[in-house]
């Protein structure tokens, strides 16, 4: 029987690239995404491409950052469905300075931390509670260098990333008795739609290319490949780790 | 003219010990605290003790973790009041496992992160917005080893501490042009009321005494003394730092 | 043509387990080891086991921590030989306290840092200088939690591990133009011969089993499997990283 | 009776600035330095300036990085002399790339790590062995952002700094029973003579000024002030810590 992966945020960026890599490795996929009707056709095509790898792909279009939606969704899953891998790939944060006219509000912090960190907990907690995780299985989420480096306007996302990593570590320890491990991948800067919303997008992009030891940005496939490696049983002892996949960018 | 410190959470534990140290160093104090009527007398006595150092002490009893209360409070401050030091000392978190009957809920994460991390931002953001911070001045908050170490039932507090540190760093960089620096003190385990709520309190206490290179717990005065040092203008170039004050406990 | 790996310290422990994993993945192996004549037969048998995977195995018995020996060895390699992977697996350090009768001497630090850290540089530097590294290829070395945690009597090894990681990072950045990446694996506690020399061996072993979220020690195969994953081209963007492979042990 | 500080590397840069700060705080000083005869007059003048604070200053001109010299020196100290503070301030490293014509040799690593890291151990070990440290007292050394960041040509110094920090932590734990604590200060970039030897000096300087949240370099006095704070008994519970004194430079 094929293994099954749940991709939370799987219609674009790192999530979609990872879905493709996992399909290639023979995973059936359940994809959660949030897209407008206007993009329906494009998304359908993308998911069909995944099916071309001879795996089953189901998709669900709803806001995967809302605790109530998550709970409802999980309680309605098929009774015998269990996941081998759950990948959280949600980039949804407020990008503002901490001071000035349009500064981050406390509410901006709350919603960003909810979307990018706490929702990872909600998924994990509910999946375990409803016995939807196999033994062994793995929880995986994406973090970034914002976990330690200060980038103007990135304050709320930075806080969310550190909270996410902290939650991942707690899950890694407390879920070990259930055979569930948890890890993060710290990707280098990828030219995603999320990044393009960043005010200093162009500047950040050219700075990063110059800075990276390999003089290029990280591409989604670089990261997806490592999602693939971590999905391998050979990675079974990697637990509670943050794997940097950035070509060495964060060192300089 | 005497310098003025705002202590958020100053009626007990690290906050009160720091208030005493700052009074000793000649700071006028404004103390925010949240205490029941029953403890009125005891609190009054404690604040009177601070006044014995010949400094002015005002106190305000309200929930310093609520964004609306914070905003209202700051807008009502005397027009010419400005702070030299703002110390955030709020320990208010949910202590539960991440799995099982009484597991942490998403809401537990939200309230803990709001109380221990985002409220620090709200205070900083509003104080700066209403020009209540001197140039130079300092924002200071307490963190703990939970920033990196996993402790059962400490998951929500750990996430809050990492978010707090992240917020502190962002403030340190973005508020530099205003002459406002920001730092955290990472205290070793202190036998506070907050700790006594911890389910594994006794075990954690005896383990820590054995573990600490000096074979004792951290006491509030150890930490308060360093708050005092950081309040000195000699510390002006310490910005965005996390100062460990634990006797070396976190190394072993 | 089969890829080729150079294993420095490949007759036992993590090095030998990694050699086996790489043989299984189709790597020809060149193994450097240092063993007495008495163990000749045992070693021969072990290397024959590697050959059973239908790969070529050559072995060289000399002190791989001596700069002069390294240089001589590399200059005498076949002109057209180039490596895809170089794994440094040398555990040779002085285990003593920093104070007391039998304390670590400055010379103990020098020899331990030479053996476990600088020799990694010497190998890398000479291999690059003599064009023995393919493009792309990878340098890999083992580190441990001693990089940040203080363990009595482990002082010289700790210093060597931090120096090793620092050297790895420098190589990761400066050798990127040559298509050579560099990484470390931070293994959990493995019950190797090297560990058995540790004065507090039994205590450390039972403590670690209790501490590890999976309630067992790390075994050499856990780590070797990850060497295998990192040898995969899918890991090409992992550069300058320290991959923890310890079941989550270092988090608690 | 006045406290006494031993400054290893105290005729210039951070060491001399710290000596001045400690003199101001009433410490008698013993200064180890290595200077040519040509600079005799200048050095004499500098040490006389320290005496103007009404403290005793003795100086010894020899190579403080050589283990034999250190041992000899310590055995010849007055029998009843004991130090309250020992500050290691030695910047003496090889600045070269890891590849190319003039690459770092293994010997460059050895001498740099000996000078900047192991010599700190030798001093500490011998001072303790010969009962030259008071109870309580403190060992202090300077580190830099090179502990984690890769800077071209800085490879040997980086490795030395990480080894130094590791040694400091080990001393912090193992010397606690003797009442001796150990800490490092991580200074931002200071325009010292040592820095001026750096090939990319000008570039690094202008980049750092732009990068620092306060848009200036760290000056020796910024750091010396914190040496002063750490010499205060109020800092007694800071042990095994790395205190960043860089205006927030390392965050961005």
């Amino acid at each position: 029987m094929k293994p099954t992966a749940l991709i939370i945020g799987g219609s674009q960026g790192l999530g979609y690239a990872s879905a493709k890599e996992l399909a290639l490795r023979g995973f059936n996929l359940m994809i959660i995404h949030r897209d407008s009707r206007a993009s329906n056709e494009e998304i359908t095509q993308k998911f069909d491409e995944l099916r071309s790898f001879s795996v089953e792909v189901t998709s669900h279009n709803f806001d995967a950052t809302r605790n109530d939606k998550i709970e409802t969704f999980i309680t309605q899953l098929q009774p015998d469905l269990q996941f081998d891998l759950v990948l959280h790939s949600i980039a949804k944060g407020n990008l503002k300075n901490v001071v000035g006219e349009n500064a981050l509000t406390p509410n901006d912090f709350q919603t960003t931390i909810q979307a990018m960190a706490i929702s990872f907990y909600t998924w994990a907690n509910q999946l375990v509670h409803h016995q939807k995780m196999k033994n062994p299985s793995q929880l995986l989420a994406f973090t970034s260098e914002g976990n330690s480096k200060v980038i103007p306007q990135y304050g709320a996302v930075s806080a969310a990333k550190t909270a996410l990593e902290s939650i991942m570590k707690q899950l890694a320890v407390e879920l070990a008795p259930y055979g569930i491990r948890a890890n993060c991948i710290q990707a280098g800067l990828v030219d995603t739609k999320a990044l393009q919303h960043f005010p200093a997008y162009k500047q950040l992009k050219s700075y990063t290319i110059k800075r990276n030891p390999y003089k290029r940005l990280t591409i989604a496939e670089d990261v997806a490949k490592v999602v693939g490696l971590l999905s391998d049983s050979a990675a079974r002892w990697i637990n509670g780790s943050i794997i940097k996949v950035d070509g060495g960018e964060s060192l300089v």
Side-chain angles (χ1 to χ4, degrees), chain A:
Chain A
M1 215 188 70
K2 286 197 165 72
T4 306
L6 173 66
I7 317 281
I8 302 158
S11 62
Q12 57 184 9
L14 298 181
Y16 180 69
S18 301
K20 216 192 274 187
E21 175 68 22
L22 291 169
L24 186 68
R25 285 177 173 255
F27 277 78
N28 287 330
L29 302 173
M30 178 173 286
I31 296 178
I32 316 298
H33 63 114
R34 187 66 176 142
D35 290 293
S36 66
R37 283 199 185 178
S39 55
N40 234 352
E41 203 175 340
E42 182 204 350
I43 301 292
T44 304
Q45 233 169 1
K46 286 174 109 175
F47 291 165
D48 282 346
E49 195 189 333
L50 299 176
R51 287 187 187 94
S52 72
F53 293 100
S54 303
V55 298
E56 290 170 29
V57 178
T58 57
S59 66
H60 303 269
N61 191 343
F62 68 90
D63 184 349
T65 71
R66 283 184 48 185
N67 301 321
D68 56 342
K69 298 271 186 188
I70 298 169
E71 288 199 40
T72 305
F73 179 77
I74 290 173
T75 53
Q76 291 171 356
L77 289 172
Q78 274 177 257
D80 59 344
L81 178 67
Q82 286 193 313
F83 298 107
D84 298 81
L85 178 69
V86 173
L87 174 64
H88 185 269
S89 176
I90 290 179
K92 185 185 166 188
N94 293 94
L95 299 168
K96 301 173 185 171
N97 288 318
V98 304
V99 73
E101 269 315 294
N102 187 31
L104 283 166
T105 63
N107 188 55
D108 288 333
F109 272 95
Q110 286 169 342
T111 55
T112 303
I113 292 174
Q114 170 61 36
M116 301 184 78
I118 298 176
S119 78
F120 179 58
Y121 176 75
T122 310
W123 278 100
N125 172 269
Q126 288 295 310
L127 287 166
V128 172
H129 185 68
H130 293 284
Q131 301 182 290
K132 293 298 168 201
M133 298 298 291
K134 268 195 199 139
N135 180 346
S137 63
Q138 184 175 198
L139 301 162
L140 203 52
F142 292 124
T143 188
S144 77
E145 201 187 350
N147 55 12
S148 55
K149 203 180 151 112
V150 172
I151 304 163
Q153 311 200 318
Y154 202 71
V157 178
S158 275
K161 288 305 193 190
T162 59
L164 173 70
E165 293 175 12
S166 180
I167 288 169
M168 175 278 286
K169 290 176 189 172
Q170 197 77 26
L171 294 170
V173 172
E174 293 201 37
L175 297 182
Y178 303 83
I180 304 165
R181 55 208 185 85
N183 292 294
C184 283
I185 289 177
Q186 179 182 325
L189 196 78
V190 181
D191 194 353
T192 57
K193 277 190 192 171
L195 185 73
Q196 288 159 18
H197 291 130
F198 205 78
Y201 166 64
K202 281 189 187 170
Q203 200 184 333
L204 193 58
K205 193 173 153 178
S206 67
Y207 165 69
T208 303
I209 291 171
K210 200 177 145 198
R211 175 193 185 207
N212 192 295
Y214 285 92
K215 305 305 171 201
R216 70 163 175 89
L217 292 186
T218 297
I219 58 172
E221 285 68 26
D222 294 328
V223 180
K225 292 281 186 199
V226 177
V227 171
L229 292 178
L230 287 175
S231 76
D232 193 304
S233 69
R236 65 174 186 240
W237 202 238
I238 299 180
N239 184 37
S241 298
I242 297 169
I243 315 281
K244 287 200 299 176
V245 184
D246 68 353
E249 183 172 301
S250 55
L251 298 176
V252 291

